Amino acid sequence: MIWLLTAAVVLGGALIAAQGPIYARMAGLLGPVQTAMLAFALGAAALALLLGASGGALPRRAALAEVPVWAWAGGLIGVYVVLVSMAAVPRLGVARYMVFVILGPLAAGAAYDRWGAFGMVPRDLSAANVAGLVLVALGAGLVMWR
């Protein structure tokens, strides 16, 4: 089962790499905000179909009221990422864009783990963790070097 989950994650990463060029092409034809709106509308429609097919229900008002205010930023973060990809991918290329898409979450994830951000349990960073982040940052620099 773990190999199936790992394969799904690898496929997800490959699809993330495909999003940038797809959105950039659409944005060239439709405009960036229009492209983001259509992408999120399609995503919402797909989720509505999945919810209906699985017999799930929309969250109740009482449950929504318990969600921390900061948690609602998730959708806005998605909009930011999509809009940035449309501007960055044509200028940086897919590989360079993805290196920084990987570096950003790794560095932020280490900080979130260290300080227990967003209600997570704080975790210490080992020397190996820090060395790995430094190596990724150096790799990002090499990718940018011409």
Side-chain angles (χ1 to χ4, degrees):
M1 184 57 150
I2 194 85
W3 65 268
L4 188 59
L5 184 58
T6 302
V9 170
V10 170
L11 176 60
L15 293 173
I16 289 170
Q19 278 184 314
I22 289 169
Y23 290 149
R25 176 75 170 131
M26 284 180 69
L29 298 169
L30 306 175
V33 175
Q34 295 86 341
T35 296
M37 184 206 57
L38 289 172
F40 282 98
L42 179 60
L47 287 170
L49 287 173
L50 185 60
L51 188 66
S54 68
L58 292 173
R60 297 191 184 281
R61 182 175 283 160
L64 290 173
E66 292 185 29
V67 175
V69 172
W70 54 262
W72 294 98
L76 298 176
I77 292 168
V79 169
Y80 172 83
V81 170
V82 168
L83 291 173
V84 166
S85 75
M86 286 183 251
V89 167
R91 290 167 183 82
L92 297 176
V94 178
R96 286 182 176 163
Y97 170 75
M98 288 307 301
V99 164
F100 290 102
V101 164
I102 292 165
L103 177 60
L106 286 175
Y112 300 156
D113 273 350
R114 174 67 181 93
W115 290 293
F118 310 113
M120 300 298 293
V121 174
R123 299 172 192 270
D124 290 330
L125 294 178
S126 68
N129 296 145
V130 173
L133 288 170
V134 168
L135 289 173
V136 170
L138 289 171
L142 289 173
V143 169
M144 288 300 290
W145 188 14
R146 293 182 183 221

